[in-house]
Amino acid sequence: MLNAQINEVFDINKGSGNSGPTNFIVFDGKLYFSADDISGENTGGEDKGRELWVTDGTAGGTNLVKDIRVGSSNGSPFAFFIFNNKLYFSANDGTGSDLWTTDGTDAGTTKIDLFPGVTEAVQRAIELDGKVYMTGISTTGDTNDLIVWDGTTATNANTTANDESILSTMAVLNGKLLMYASYEPDDATVDNELYEFDPTTGVFKLIKDIDPGTQNSSISNLTTLGSKVYFEADNELWETDGTEAGTIKVLKAEEAGVNNVTNFYAWDNKMFFEGDDGTGDQLWVYNPSANSVSKISNISGTNNNHDPSDYVAYDGYLYYKGEDANDTSSHLFRTNGTTVEQLDNTITDVDDLVLFNDKIYFEGDNGTTGRELFSINLSTLSIDNIFNASVSVFPNPSADFIKVNVDFNVVVIFSI
């Protein structure tokens, strides 16, 4: 195990209670997130509910931005995204969830009414060709419709009156949006399946009916890597090049017996994901160039599930949260793509990792102050127990050769 310098940035909800910081996003040199100071000690003596917070990485620079839903009820900021150098998110001021923007000040945190009279509740934002595509409630009143916004004007992306319901995050491939959706013209013969949306024509098109007929394929985790999008369908690893013929299972994963795939992340020209070959949920990697699937972690003990997720790539490593062999609480881990290392076992309930100023910030619990905002200084990682290692040298003294016995892997000997 590595020794990691982990610091609590700020105890937002004083005492042992949880502020539960989540939905982190870095913007304009600061870290924005949602949290709840139930104690009210850091929000003027009042519980203002789950609202918008910001930090510069210091305790003194961590503060509430705005009480969006005035009082103790929750504004619950979520679905953060950056577009045209501005920060946007969804929140509820008591009249329903709408799109908001912030410059980090109370006065500069304002609601954007995309469709007057409609609480859009937008989410799953993705940028393509200078516009943002989001799912939400459109002018027709349908939920999970595709909305397109240029920063000024929002419209229904669908150019016809047909209704769509997008049920997953979206991915960009070859200038089109790929998504898991149902589409009204196909409902009689096709259930929820893999679709594409072409912004140039405003048309939805079925890519492939993976589960033919009125069964749905339960697609999730659409993630672009190179010239393909990888995703989960029916608990297995799939890939698509945007064509029906090119939408296929990843056979190497099927041959390895990997199921229950989830939590995808593209890094180092490979696809990392959680999967189970019957030995528990472990960290796996698919290398498209070598057409190989490998299990990286092998957590076993009283707990067999590693459950990797919330990845952050930095300086040749992929950092993430995962469970160790001793309990089902999440801890900090990292991988170089071949092996895994646990960074710490004192901070539990790790969640929502984000890279900010060469540190990783996350929600965690030190057992005293509850689930609060923590950071890890990656430059101070060091190997644990090195000074407790056993070393023996014999014969001693020696005028010629010596033998060295150690209980660790590397020995450096200098002649002085």
Side-chain angles (χ1 to χ4, degrees):
M1 185 183 297
L2 296 178
N3 268 332
Q5 181 181 330
I6 297 178
N7 298 309
E8 184 176 54
V9 177
F10 190 49
D11 186 8
I12 294 172
N13 182 20
K14 294 293 185 182
S16 60
N18 307 314
S19 71
T22 189
N23 296 322
F24 298 115
I25 188 169
V26 177
F27 173 71
D28 196 23
K30 293 186 178 180
L31 181 62
Y32 291 81
F33 57 98
S34 72
D36 188 353
D37 177 16
I38 301 172
S39 70
E41 290 192 32
N42 295 302
T43 50
E46 299 179 21
D47 175 13
K48 296 183 181 297
R50 175 164 292 278
E51 296 294 348
L52 180 65
W53 285 71
V54 67
T55 184
D56 63 3
T58 68
T62 305
N63 59 270
L64 176 73
V65 176
K66 187 182 184 74
D67 185 13
I68 291 173
R69 188 168 184 174
V70 178
S72 60
S73 296
N74 300 323
S76 301
F78 72 105
F80 290 80
F81 67 93
I82 298 169
F83 178 55
N84 287 344
N85 297 316
K86 292 184 179 181
L87 179 59
Y88 299 94
F89 58 95
S90 284
N92 186 347
D93 64 357
T95 63
S97 291
D98 286 289
L99 185 66
W100 288 70
T101 187
T102 185
D103 63 2
T105 67
D106 187 322
T109 303
T110 57
K111 183 164 66 172
I112 300 171
D113 200 3
L114 294 180
F115 303 131
V118 177
T119 55
E120 299 91 10
V122 293
Q123 58 181 324
R124 305 181 181 120
I126 189 168
E127 187 174 351
L128 177 60
D129 294 335
K131 296 180 180 180
V132 171
Y133 292 83
M134 306 170 279
T135 61
I137 302 173
S138 69
T139 54
T140 64
D142 296 314
T143 60
N144 293 323
D145 271 5
L146 189 61
I147 298 168
V148 59
W149 184 54
D150 62 7
T152 302
T153 303
T155 60
N156 294 356
N158 194 341
T159 57
T160 70
N162 294 316
D163 179 35
E164 72 279 356
S165 180
I166 299 168
L167 305 171
S168 72
T169 54
M170 297 175 284
V172 173
L173 184 67
N174 300 326
K176 299 176 182 178
L177 296 175
L178 272 61
M179 64 202 71
Y180 177 52
S182 65
Y183 187 46
E184 187 270 334
D186 298 338
D187 282 349
T189 56
V190 178
D191 206 342
N192 305 330
E193 290 293 346
L194 183 65
Y195 279 84
E196 71 172 21
F197 175 77
D198 187 342
T200 62
T201 62
V203 173
F204 284 86
K205 177 185 174 183
L206 177 69
I207 295 178
K208 184 166 185 168
D209 189 1
I210 292 175
D211 281 355
T214 56
Q215 300 296 315
N216 69 69
S217 55
S218 303
I219 291 172
S220 66
N221 290 273
L222 287 97
T223 306
T224 305
L225 176 63
S227 59
K228 294 182 180 179
V229 167
Y230 293 83
F231 59 96
E232 172 270 329
D234 293 333
N235 296 317
E236 295 186 279
L237 181 62
W238 282 69
E239 65 178 35
T240 183
D241 61 3
T243 69
E244 181 177 12
T247 303
I248 56 176
K249 287 184 186 179
V250 176
L251 293 181
K252 286 294 182 180
E254 185 179 40
E255 291 168 0
V258 184
N259 286 283
N260 299 324
V261 299
T262 188
N263 296 323
F264 290 25
Y265 192 82
W267 177 63
D268 193 27
N269 299 315
K270 303 177 183 72
M271 186 61 64
F272 291 78
F273 61 96
E274 175 187 332
D276 185 359
D277 65 351
T279 61
D281 295 321
Q282 303 292 338
L283 179 62
W284 290 76
V285 60
Y286 174 59
N287 185 342
S289 63
N291 191 28
S292 64
V293 172
S294 304
K295 181 165 60 175
I296 301 176
S297 67
N298 192 20
I299 304 300
S300 63
T302 56
N303 174 44
N304 292 328
N305 294 316
H306 191 38
D307 290 335
S309 67
D310 295 64
Y311 311 94
V312 169
Y314 180 78
D315 196 24
Y317 286 93
L318 188 61
Y319 294 82
Y320 64 96
K321 77 170 189 179
E323 298 172 8
D324 62 26
N326 301 312
D327 61 70
T328 57
S329 181
S330 54
H331 302 275
L332 280 170
F333 282 80
R334 75 176 183 180
T335 181
N336 59 6
T338 304
T339 60
V340 302
E341 298 172 300
Q342 186 171 350
L343 305 185
D344 175 80
N345 62 4
T346 62
I347 307 299
T348 62
D349 295 330
V350 170
D351 205 2
D352 280 353
L353 278 64
V354 64
L355 183 65
F356 174 51
N357 287 345
D358 297 318
K359 296 181 181 179
I360 291 178
Y361 289 75
F362 59 95
E363 176 187 354
D365 190 342
N366 61 9
T368 303
T369 57
R371 294 197 302 276
E372 295 292 345
L373 180 61
F374 286 81
S375 70
I376 175 173
N377 188 339
L378 303 178
S379 66
T380 62
L381 292 176
S382 59
I383 298 175
D384 195 10
N385 292 329
I386 187 68
F387 297 110
N388 294 326
S390 172
V391 181
S392 60
V393 179
F394 59 92
N396 185 17
S398 173
D400 197 352
F401 298 100
I402 63 172
K403 294 182 179 181
V404 181
N405 285 344
V406 300
D407 61 1
F408 53 98
N409 295 329
V410 179
V411 178
V412 180
I413 299 176
F414 297 93
S415 176
I416 58 175

